């Protein structure tokens, strides 16, 4: 059919492990679809293409991110923000194809077949192991920073230094912002500086937090555990923006007065569209940005999940897919 003629067969080389893989595999974000093959941070080489494919060729280094299709007809798809597809985009795994009955399977696999419009090119100068997490953690942080207009002269606070946070530091610094990492302890201060942060602020140090009040243009919050939004809002200047990419499990209390009297705002953000994902990869290629990764074999995934829950990784696990063939 015409659909198959527009598809790309990718031989996967590396697949990143995202925290959402754990939630999905354990059915913690609603009923999961089993059997499941997680993985939406995928890098590999094009093995074959359909007869009508024009964007990719055999041998190309390519990537696949969090979704593999969308309706293409709604306002958001037409605006290039397919992640907000009105009827819902087709996620890379634990989802259904547009026919409503065929399940999708992700990147913890040797191969994947994807429509060409949802495959992105990877700059040749980047280490493909470190590229895999860019397809989720990279675009998740790039999109809100770019949309907010973060640039030289701005002061950016990044809350949390994990898989998302370490990418936010690298990308924010590359945008030209003066980056400060916020963390509960001093344990990651040296890493923050190595990644590109100019300053480090300990959130449990009341005196330091009081001194930092009203000094930031933007706060990018990557933390998914329960924490105090109002404390972070107090760090923002007048008309400052808090950009939320972390997902605490419980509703968050926010004082309206923290927003009203200084014109501050809070906005959420979910990955990015295909064109912007390509833009992000090209930007990372230009600035030689990749994720800091620990490469593992496929039989270590369960241990990796447990270590991730303890924040025991710097800063993303990536599966060497060749290990699945051994």
């Amino acid at each position: 059919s015409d659909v198959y003629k527009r598809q790309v067969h990718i031989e996967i080389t590396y697949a990143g492990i995202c925290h959402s893989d754990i939630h999905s595999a354990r059915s913690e974000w609603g009923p999961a679809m089993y059997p499941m093959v997680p993985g939406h941070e995928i890098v590999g080489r094009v093995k074959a293409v359909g007869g009508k494919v024009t964007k990719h060729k055999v041998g190309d280094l390519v990537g696949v991110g969090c979704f593999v299709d969308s309706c293409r007809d709604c306002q958001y798809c037409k605006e290039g923000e397919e992640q907000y597809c009105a009827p819902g985009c087709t996620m890379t795994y634990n989802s259904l194809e547009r026919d409503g009955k065929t399940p999708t399977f992700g990147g913890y696999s040797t191969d994947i077949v994807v429509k060409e419009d949802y495959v992105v090119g990877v700059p040749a100068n980047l280490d493909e192991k470190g590229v895999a997490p860019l397809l989720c953690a990279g675009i998740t942080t790039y999109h809100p920073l770019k949309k907010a207009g973060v640039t030289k002269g701005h002061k950016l606070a990044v809350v949390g230094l994990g898989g998302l946070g370490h990418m936010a530091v690298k990308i924010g610094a590359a945008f030209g912002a003066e980056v400060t990492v916020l963390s509960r302890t001093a344990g990651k201060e040296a890493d923050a500086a190595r990644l590109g942060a100019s300053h480090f602020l300990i959130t449990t140090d009341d005196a330091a937090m009081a001194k930092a009040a009203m000094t930031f243009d933007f706060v990018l919050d990557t933390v998914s555990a329960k924490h105090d939004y109002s404390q972070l809002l107090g760090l923002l200047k007048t008309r400052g923006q808090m950009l939320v990419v972390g997902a605490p499990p419980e509703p968050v209390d926010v004082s309206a007065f923290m927003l009203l009297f200084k014109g501050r705002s809070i906005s959420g953000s979910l990955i990015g569209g295909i064109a912007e994902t390509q833009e992000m990869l090209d930007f990372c290629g230009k600035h030689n940005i990749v994720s800091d990764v620990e490469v593992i074999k496929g039989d270590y995934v369960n241990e990796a999940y447990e270590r991730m829950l303890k924040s025991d990784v710097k800063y993303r696990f990536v599966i060497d897919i060749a290990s699945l063939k051994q």
Side-chain angles (χ1 to χ4, degrees), residues 232-298:
L232 300 178
L233 286 168
L235 300 174
L236 288 169
K237 298 177 181 178
T238 298
R239 291 186 296 276
Q241 299 179 48
M242 180 170 166
L243 313 171
V244 178
V245 295
E250 300 174 358
V252 177
D253 291 326
V254 176
S255 168
F257 293 102
M258 295 295 293
L259 303 175
L260 297 174
F261 281 88
K262 297 297 179 182
R264 299 172 175 126
S265 63
I266 301 176
S267 63
S269 180
L270 179 72
I271 51 177
I274 295 299
E276 190 175 41
T277 300
Q278 185 65 67
E279 175 185 298
M280 176 273 303
L281 287 171
D282 293 341
F283 177 87
C284 288
K286 179 179 178 180
H287 294 274
N288 200 30
I289 295 173
V290 291
S291 180
D292 287 21
V293 302
E294 179 178 336
V295 178
I296 63 171
K297 293 183 177 181

Side-chain angles (χ1 to χ4, degrees), residues 95 110 126 133 138 274 285:
S95 186
T110 58
L126 296 180
I274 295 299

Side-chain angles (χ1 to χ4, degrees), residues 32-104:
M33 299 169 56
Y34 301 109
M36 181 192 299
V37 179
H40 58 209
E41 301 178 346
I42 301 167
V43 172
R45 295 278 175 182
V46 176
K47 188 174 183 178
V49 297
K52 292 189 176 181
V53 170
T54 60
K55 298 180 179 180
H56 310 283
K57 65 182 185 300
V58 173
D60 284 354
L61 184 62
V62 296
V64 177
C66 298
F67 58 94
V68 292
D69 208 349
S70 62
C71 79
R72 307 177 186 234
D73 293 322
C74 71
Q75 171 189 344
Y76 309 106
C77 285
K78 290 179 178 178
E79 291 176 353
E81 293 202 316
E82 299 94 339
Q83 75 274 27
Y84 299 131
C85 176
C89 59
T90 300
M91 306 310 288
T92 304
Y93 71 91
N94 196 35
S95 186
L96 294 175
E97 298 280 8
R98 306 316 287 182
D99 62 10
K101 59 184 180 182
T102 305
T104 58

